[in-house]
Amino acid sequence: MPYSYRVTSHSPANPDVVFTALVRAATWPSWSPIDAAEIEGGGDPAGRQQVGDTRIFRTGRAVSRERIVELVTDRRFGYENVSGPFRSYRGTVELAAAPQGGTDITWSATFEPKLRPSGPFWRWYLTRFMQRMADGLASYAGDQF
C-alpha cells in the first residue's frame, strides 16, 4: 500500500533562486537537516546536477542515495530514493511564482516502505522532516536574493 505526504512553504525569492539551490547538492547541508552531500561517482556537488545524477546524503549515521529523475527549470525537481527503508519512493518539489511575490514551494512524495507496517510511522516522520526541508529551502533562497 503506498503512502504519501505533502508540505508547503513560501520563499521571498524568485523560483530561479529556489531552483538553483535544489540542483546544487552542496547547498543542501546549509539549509536542511542533512549533514553532508556528495555526488556518486565523484561529481562536483557545487555544480548543477542533471537528470540521472545520484546524490548521497548523510544525516547522522543515516545515508540515503537519491537519483534525480526530473528537472523542469524553475518549476519542478523530481527524485527517487534508491536505497534505504523504501521499496519505492518518488519525491517532487514543485515551485510556483506566488501572486504576492516570491515562490510557493510544495514538497511531496509517494512511497512504499519495505516493512509494510512501518508506513504510518514513515508518513509521520517524513512529513515533519520534509517540512523542515521546505522551510529551510525557503529561508536559504530568501537570503540569496
Side-chain angles (χ1 to χ4, degrees):
M1 173 175 142
Y3 293 86
S4 63
Y5 66 82
R6 180 179 179 272
V7 299
T8 61
S9 196
H10 176 81
S11 177
N14 291 329
D16 63 319
V17 176
V18 179
F19 189 80
T20 296
L22 282 168
V23 296
R24 296 189 189 318
T27 70
W28 288 50
S30 299
W31 52 263
S32 75
I34 291 170
D35 297 325
E38 61 187 78
I39 306 303
E40 192 168 81
D44 179 11
R48 180 187 162 113
Q49 277 79 66
Q50 302 296 321
V51 170
D53 286 349
T54 298
R55 297 149 25 126
I56 302 167
F57 296 118
R58 299 178 195 290
T59 306
R61 293 172 46 189
V63 177
S64 67
R65 292 175 57 238
E66 296 177 353
R67 182 176 305 113
I68 298 172
V69 296
E70 181 182 21
L71 292 176
V72 178
T73 302
D74 302 342
R75 294 192 48 221
R76 187 178 310 113
F77 176 90
Y79 64 98
E80 292 179 350
N81 187 291
V82 293
S83 67
F86 304 105
R87 186 179 320 267
S88 65
Y89 181 107
R90 168 69 190 247
T92 304
V93 182
E94 297 276 352
L95 308 176
Q100 73 274 28
T103 304
D104 289 330
I105 301 166
T106 302
W107 199 311
S108 63
T110 300
F111 63 93
E112 189 171 348
K114 289 179 182 174
L115 298 173
R116 292 182 196 271
S118 67
F121 164 78
W122 283 115
R123 182 176 44 223
W124 172 84
Y125 176 82
L126 289 168
T127 299
R128 281 148 188 78
F129 188 86
M130 294 310 186
Q131 186 67 62
R132 290 174 58 200
M133 298 282 284
D135 291 344
L137 173 62
S139 177
Y140 176 86
D143 291 343
Q144 304 303 304
F145 91 107

